Amino acid sequence: MSIQRIQPGPRMSQAVVHGDTVYLAGQVAEGATVVEQSQAALARVDELLASVGSDKSKLLSVTIYLADIASFADMNSVWDAWVDGANPPARATVEAKLATPDYFVEFAVIAAI
């Protein structure tokens, strides 16, 4: 089975396709609030999924990393408006120190194609 790497760089690929599954790197975005960052990061998830012929209705699993768990409700307000309610993925949300203090949220996604 072949492996396709999407937007590969020296350290990581933005997505990797193996068989009928796509694995996205953790998606982060710029923004002044967790709401702005969530909206922009999930838009990037949409773009990456579309680039391999998938979409959010085919999400299998999402892990969400929050720099501050107190922002859980704000992030969920964006998530709830974005996620396909008829096809919700398995999901975990954890508080974690992210790569830079400028990031408030990160989404790691696995989806079917």
Side-chain angles (χ1 to χ4, degrees):
M1 201 173 290
S2 69
I3 297 172
Q4 176 187 7
R5 299 184 193 285
I6 309 300
Q7 298 177 17
R11 186 171 289 149
M12 64 183 214
S13 296
Q14 285 301 307
V16 175
V17 175
H18 183 251
D20 293 331
T21 305
V22 60
Y23 305 84
L24 302 188
Q27 296 301 305
V28 295
E30 301 296 322
T33 66
V34 72
V35 167
E36 290 174 5
Q37 288 189 10
S38 295
Q39 291 168 332
L42 290 172
R44 181 72 178 133
V45 168
D46 282 332
E47 292 169 8
L48 285 166
L49 291 175
S51 76
V52 298
S54 187
D55 62 58
K56 62 187 168 189
S57 74
K58 298 175 183 173
L59 295 176
L60 300 174
S61 177
V62 177
T63 302
I64 303 168
Y65 301 95
L66 289 171
D68 182 353
I69 201 69
S71 64
F72 185 71
D74 288 338
M75 179 279 300
N76 267 332
S77 70
V78 176
W79 173 266
D80 291 344
W82 177 82
V83 74
D84 181 343
N87 298 290
R91 188 186 111 168
T93 305
V94 298
E95 183 178 60
K97 188 177 273 191
L98 301 181
T100 171
D102 296 332
Y103 294 141
F104 307 134
V105 62
E106 182 170 344
F107 297 87
V109 173
I110 302 170
I113 296 177

